[in-house]
Amino acid sequence: MSAPQATRTTALHAGAWWLWALGLATAASRTTNPLLLGLLVGVAGYVVAARRTDAPWARSYGAFVKLGLVVIAIRLVCAVVLGSPIPGTHTLLTLPEVPLPDWAKGVRIGGRVTAEAMLFALYDGLKLATLLICVGAANALANPSRLLKSLPGALYEAGVAVVVAMTFAPNLVADVQRLRAARRLRGRPDRGFKALLQVGLPVLEGALERSVALAAAMDARGYGRSAEVPRAVRHTTSVLTLGGLLGICAGTYGLLGDTGGGYGLPLLLGGLAAALGGLWLGGRRSIRTRYRPERWGPRAWLVAGSGIAVAALMIWANAYAPAALHPPAVPLTTPVLPLWPAASVLLGLLPAFVAPAPAPASAATGRPGCTGGRTNAAALDTAGTESGKHKKYEQHTKEPTQ
């Protein structure tokens, strides 16, 4: 099934991208093998490179990658300065240790830094960085406005707040890139702490202007208006929604944790059923109508299913082959790439082939989505020829009057 070009009608559902990314993040939470984590990062990066558009939110993936590198660096620095509970015999260096009172037992500043502790910190930081990169892939691929359209009516107000919060970071990154490019064109430095301070004020000013414009647009569209619903229905809705969300949180924690897989899935399914019932009842309060509702087609099922399959296979591998997914730091050993967990991670590449491809940039304007009109060189030549014929016709009609 060849992937079509992405348009308004064929674009993939935003929820499918989030389910795919959360599936990869779940797989990353079940392993500390750096080879598998690197493979997950590579899968996410390849799909983003193949299917992201030129929209402002699509440019935030690089910022999440840099944030992941910062997380790894902070984790290593903390392991050097504050120590690690992992014992080791290979000493890398010894720092001056600060004496602490008796009530701070178990905490130290300085002291001996071992290779085993640094390796454990590297595995831990790489795991968290992979989670952030998977979330960054969802931010770069999913259109936040289309995601807001697909939310249930009961979550419309909360969804607006979440979408605004999700789009803040991509818009902030786009503003910083635009201002740095403007400074380079003016011959001013765009790197360093001083340049960052000079860019920060315009960025905050732009964020404030967007907030004011968003508030005015929401007020003009009647944001927050709801229909009258009986009190019993409102209380039932609150109980089902709150209980369902708590069940989803507890079930997700059980699935993401190393232990608790037995009760995690039943809690997750029960909480999901209760939450859906509460959302269906809560949707009766919403008087909002949907224009061109988002469609969940076969490609969305394939994309979401690939992420869920990666997560399920990694959870199963963690139960039956934990040694391959968690290489020990003590003693020092070289991590080995397990074959069939690595093959299951490669299932995450499916969206790069089945998801609709982004619209190519026009040859004349360089903007995406301009292929519907005649914007290439041949069309411009045709337009110029027609314009010349029109001028000749006007000149011919004016000659008899002259």
Side-chain angles (χ1 to χ4, degrees), residues 134-222:
C134 292
V135 173
N139 277 276
L141 293 170
N143 189 334
S145 61
R146 296 175 72 96
L147 182 63
L148 176 62
K149 285 181 60 177
S150 60
L151 285 178
L155 293 180
Y156 178 69
E157 287 80 6
V160 170
V162 172
V163 170
V164 170
M166 285 167 48
T167 55
F168 176 76
N171 288 328
L172 200 67
V173 172
D175 285 347
V176 170
Q177 293 177 350
R178 176 176 54 84
L179 291 171
R180 289 182 61 186
R183 290 181 63 86
R184 285 196 300 269
L185 291 175
R186 293 181 174 89
R188 299 178 181 176
D190 62 326
R191 298 182 181 276
F193 183 72
K194 184 178 179 181
L196 181 62
L197 291 179
Q198 294 177 355
V199 169
L201 184 60
V203 169
L204 293 178
E205 183 180 358
L208 181 61
E209 291 178 356
R210 281 196 304 271
S211 301
V212 173
L214 177 63
M218 291 167 63
D219 184 66
R221 288 167 174 81

Side-chain angles (χ1 to χ4, degrees), residues 229-244 274-282 284:
V229 178
R231 179 177 297 181
V233 176
R234 285 191 282 110
H235 290 335
T236 305
T237 301
S238 301
V239 171
L240 286 176
T241 304
L242 182 59
L276 289 177
L279 293 177
W280 178 77
L281 289 176
R284 298 172 59 183

Side-chain angles (χ1 to χ4, degrees), residues 94-122:
T94 303
L95 298 176
E97 187 171 355
V98 178
L100 297 176
D102 295 336
W103 54 266
K105 289 184 177 180
V107 179
R108 69 175 179 85
I109 300 177
R112 192 167 61 97
V113 179
T114 62
E116 290 83 356
M118 296 298 295
L119 186 62
F120 177 79
L122 178 62

Side-chain angles (χ1 to χ4, degrees), residues 261-361:
Y263 68 85
L265 185 60
L267 272 179
L268 180 62
L269 294 178
L272 186 62
L276 289 177
L279 293 177
W280 178 77
L281 289 176
R284 298 172 59 183
R285 297 181 55 197
S286 177
I287 57 177
R288 183 173 60 94
T289 59
R290 295 180 184 271
Y291 177 67
R292 291 180 178 177
E294 298 294 320
R295 297 179 179 179
W296 189 282
R299 299 180 187 277
W301 283 111
L302 289 175
V303 171
S306 65
I308 295 174
V310 172
L313 290 174
M314 193 65 70
I315 292 174
W316 183 75
N318 189 58
Y320 287 91
L325 272 65
H326 299 278
V330 180
L332 290 175
T333 55
T334 303
V336 179
L337 181 65
L339 294 181
W340 64 269
S344 66
V345 171
L346 293 179
L347 291 176
L349 291 173
L350 186 62
F353 304 99
V354 300

